[in-house]
Amino acid sequence: MLLLKQPFFQGNPISFSQRRLCIMVIACFLLTNAFVTRAFVDINFGKFWQAVARHGGKVDAGRQAGLEGMFNEAQNLPESKQLLLVNAYFRDNVTYKTDDIVWKQSDYWASPAEFLAKELGDCEDYAIAKYIFLLKLGVAEEKLRLIYVKAKVGGRRSTVTQAHMVLGYYETPTSQPMILDSLISEVLPARQRTDLIPVFSFNSMGIWSPGQKKSSGSPSARLSRWRNVLDKISSEGITVTS
């Protein structure tokens, strides 16, 4: 905690306006850091690839270099470029298939290691893996949300919908999110995705209904599949700390 002590003002005399400015700066620092919570992700690539192999995936030098090379390339880029690189990685290395084909279940949320082992997965698997990888690159958790939507089948004029999940990136708390989707290759702002109707969104910090600023609860308490994913990744070389 940053404490304002008397010696801070001792030494060369400062004016009342300078003192007031110092107090305002420190107050802003304290308020900003009181409300910003970040999840930090670390990946032990040795353990991660062991987990991929354990789940039946192919592990060779080319795959390892491809993933680690993507992280190295993206590490110091602007977040807008990081979104594109992570989105492109999964576009190029995984094929969309539904859970009934991949897992013989109606709904299964795979960990990133399971996802890359199968090289197949559905919308939740894409969204979760992109979320974890962007956290690894240092994107603040409050900028990322997994968003449950109703996707209009056949285009924006369709009245037929199906459950779907995408990843949203919010540059600022009031920004329209950029949408990373498993069904299209582009990363587009939400205003251009009129085929998607939001139902709720979540990350490790909370869960939100559309338009709400306050979280309505703990996602790990309310979403058993999310809790299961977090349990799985902890044994697969991925550490998430808040």
Side-chain angles (χ1 to χ4, degrees):
M1 179 180 294
L2 180 61
L3 298 176
L4 182 59
K5 297 183 179 179
Q6 187 64 30
F8 184 86
F9 294 110
Q10 292 177 350
N12 296 328
I14 64 175
S15 68
F16 174 79
S17 61
Q18 289 174 317
R19 180 178 301 191
R20 183 179 180 186
L21 177 61
C22 289
I23 292 172
M24 289 175 65
V25 169
I26 293 168
C28 288
F29 175 87
L30 291 173
L31 286 172
T32 300
N33 286 274
F35 292 101
V36 174
T37 303
R38 289 196 176 197
F40 295 92
V41 166
D42 183 57
I43 301 178
N44 180 319
F45 285 105
K47 289 185 177 180
F48 179 78
W49 287 114
Q50 288 174 6
V52 171
R54 190 166 63 248
H55 293 305
K58 178 183 68 177
V59 177
D60 57 33
R63 290 195 80 193
Q64 292 173 300
L67 178 58
E68 295 178 41
M70 185 276 291
F71 277 115
N72 290 335
E73 180 182 356
Q75 191 65 54
N76 296 313
L77 292 178
E79 290 178 353
S80 59
K81 300 294 186 183
Q82 291 178 335
L83 298 181
L84 297 177
L85 278 177
V86 169
N87 197 63
Y89 177 82
F90 288 104
R91 179 196 67 208
D92 296 341
N93 289 279
V94 187
T95 301
Y96 185 93
K97 292 292 181 182
T98 54
D99 288 332
D100 59 323
I101 295 173
V102 181
W103 298 102
K104 311 304 180 187
Q105 298 182 32
S106 60
D107 193 15
Y108 184 87
W109 293 15
S111 68
E114 290 175 315
F115 188 34
L116 289 182
K118 294 288 187 181
E119 299 181 65
L120 303 168
D122 72 351
C123 57
E124 294 97 349
D125 307 328
Y126 279 89
I128 290 166
K130 292 173 186 178
Y131 170 77
I132 294 295
F133 280 18
L134 285 167
L135 289 178
K136 162 64 176 171
L137 286 169
V139 177
E141 185 175 24
E142 61 267 21
K143 293 184 175 183
L144 297 171
R145 291 190 191 178
L146 299 115
I147 309 173
Y148 250 128
V149 299
K150 292 180 180 178
K152 296 179 181 180
V153 179
R156 63 182 182 177
R157 298 182 184 276
S158 174
T159 58
V160 180
T161 63
Q162 66 180 24
H164 187 51
M165 185 186 284
V166 297
L167 180 65
Y169 166 82
Y170 300 75
E171 185 176 7
T172 71
T174 58
S175 296
Q176 281 281 313
M178 300 297 292
I179 303 299
L180 291 76
D181 194 347
S182 56
L183 298 181
I184 65 171
S185 58
E186 300 100 328
V187 176
L188 297 175
R191 65 178 176 273
Q192 295 184 28
R193 296 302 309 273
T194 55
D195 56 318
L196 304 179
I197 304 169
V199 178
F200 70 90
S201 62
F202 69 97
N203 57 25
S204 292
M205 298 165 59
I207 185 168
W208 296 268
S209 297
Q212 286 189 339
K213 294 183 179 180
K214 185 177 180 180
S215 169
S216 58
S218 166
S220 58
R222 297 181 60 180
L223 301 172
S224 60
R225 289 185 176 88
W226 177 241
R227 184 170 62 251
N228 291 341
V229 166
L230 294 178
D231 289 341
K232 283 188 289 189
I233 66 175
S234 65
S235 65
E236 297 175 349
I238 299 177
T239 304
V240 182
T241 56
S242 297

